[in-house]
Amino acid sequence: MRIWICLAAVMAFWLAPVPSAQAETYLDVPYASLPGVDPESLSLDIYTPEGAKDAPVLVMVHGGGWRRGSKTNAVGDSHVPYFTGQGFVYVSINYRLAPDDPFPAFMEDAAAAVAFVHREIGRYGGDPDNIFLMGHSAGAHIAALLSVDGQYLAAQGLTPAVLKGTVLLDGAAYDIPDLARFGGRRLPRLYRQPFGDDPAVWRAASPTLQVKAGTPTPPMLIFHVDRPGAGEASNALADALRGAGHSARVVEAADRSHRTLNRSLGEADDAYAPMIAEFIRQE
């Protein structure tokens, strides 16, 4: 189902910032509209450094197993102050969730959100030609697939070249058929609701299996913690990217858990948010 961008979304009402100690904050901005879908599911929050103009933009895709989570609980206490303090516009998006809306609904939504940001972020002080994508857990899967499979952004009139870089925070579902090895050729329950039982769907939804040479693909900075499957999946994705002539770097965050890698990002003792800031500045 194609998502139609809500052209009326950016009205003066949405352009009036909500005061914040860290940044100018614009909450629940609709990026698309679909009949019968809760508008909250198709909305995003924007955090802008005061006085920003043509600032780099970091778009965050939340985790939650494709079945739960939201744009607000994706943002640790330190995300916004850290990244806006670095001079970046920070955007956190919602998307439709399984089981009511399985794959590819959340991919279509993420593409619509990126298209909205590309078209409208200049009104919020961001540079539409300097957009980075970041995701945690299930959001890392969504960000990775959006970056390597151009069909989702193509439906919005764009290509993955609109993304200057992609940051992945401890995803493990980059090769979904590989996950079925542990379930007797049946996916573990976590993955069945979003991806079903069809191996063809599993392959189509697998970033590692969708990497292609000669196609626009942003450089990737891939983090993983020390948990079963995450390191192997991250390195396999990076190997596929590099084998196809694309740029990828893998960082093991051995001192973090799956949860704290995201929640602690940007705290005073955090080593990983500065890596992301450097990645953004270098691309």
Side-chain angles (χ1 to χ4, degrees):
M1 181 186 299
R2 182 182 175 118
I3 291 181
W4 297 97
I5 297 294
C6 183
L7 296 178
V10 185
M11 301 170 63
F13 175 80
W14 298 113
L15 292 172
V18 177
S20 167
Q22 297 87 12
E24 295 177 345
T25 304
Y26 309 83
L27 301 178
D28 301 323
V29 179
Y31 63 78
S33 176
L34 283 173
V37 175
D38 182 357
E40 175 69 11
S41 297
L42 302 174
S43 69
L44 51 80
D45 296 339
I46 304 172
Y47 306 88
T48 303
E50 186 176 357
K53 183 178 181 181
D54 294 329
V57 182
L58 182 59
V59 179
M60 176 67 179
V61 187
H62 71 79
W66 305 271
R67 298 170 297 148
R68 57 185 180 273
S70 74
K71 58 186 171 57
T72 51
N73 66 25
V75 179
D77 293 340
S78 50
H79 281 216
V80 170
Y82 180 82
F83 289 112
T84 58
Q86 294 292 313
F88 309 147
V89 174
Y90 186 89
V91 180
S92 187
I93 73 168
N94 274 348
Y95 51 86
R96 286 173 291 166
L97 301 171
D100 291 341
D101 294 291
F103 176 85
F106 40 80
M107 297 304 308
E108 295 167 346
D109 296 350
V114 168
F116 175 91
V117 170
H118 182 256
R119 187 179 62 252
E120 304 292 355
I121 203 63
R123 300 178 181 237
Y124 300 91
D127 181 355
D129 296 319
N130 202 9
I131 298 171
F132 290 77
L133 189 61
M134 181 167 73
H136 172 243
S137 192
H141 162 267
I142 294 170
L145 188 58
L146 196 69
S147 299
V148 301
D149 188 341
Q151 65 172 306
Y152 304 105
L153 286 169
Q156 302 294 335
L158 300 170
T159 76
V162 74
L163 302 171
K164 299 291 285 184
T166 299
V167 179
L168 308 180
L169 302 175
D170 203 41
Y174 304 136
D175 184 342
I176 296 172
D178 188 58
L179 297 171
R181 289 189 303 116
F182 304 101
R185 297 187 179 180
R186 190 163 187 254
L187 281 181
R189 182 179 178 184
L190 170 64
Y191 304 101
R192 289 200 300 272
Q193 284 188 334
F195 301 110
D197 294 315
D198 184 350
V201 172
W202 302 349
R203 290 191 294 273
S206 297
T208 299
L209 305 183
Q210 297 304 316
V211 172
K212 300 176 182 67
T215 61
T217 302
M220 292 198 196
L221 178 59
I222 305 170
F223 294 92
H224 69 87
V225 304
D226 183 13
R227 67 180 178 108
E232 293 87 345
S234 296
N235 282 291
L237 174 59
D239 288 345
L241 288 163
R242 290 190 288 255
H246 309 303
S247 175
R249 177 189 175 197
V250 177
V251 176
E252 181 177 6
D255 59 333
R256 298 295 190 202
S257 69
H258 180 66
R259 180 178 182 274
T260 62
L261 177 62
N262 180 54
R263 300 301 295 182
S264 301
L265 206 63
E267 291 182 355
D269 62 346
D270 176 52
Y272 306 111
M275 292 183 189
I276 296 169
E278 180 182 12
F279 176 70
I280 292 172
R281 292 196 173 97
Q282 288 181 343
E283 295 301 333

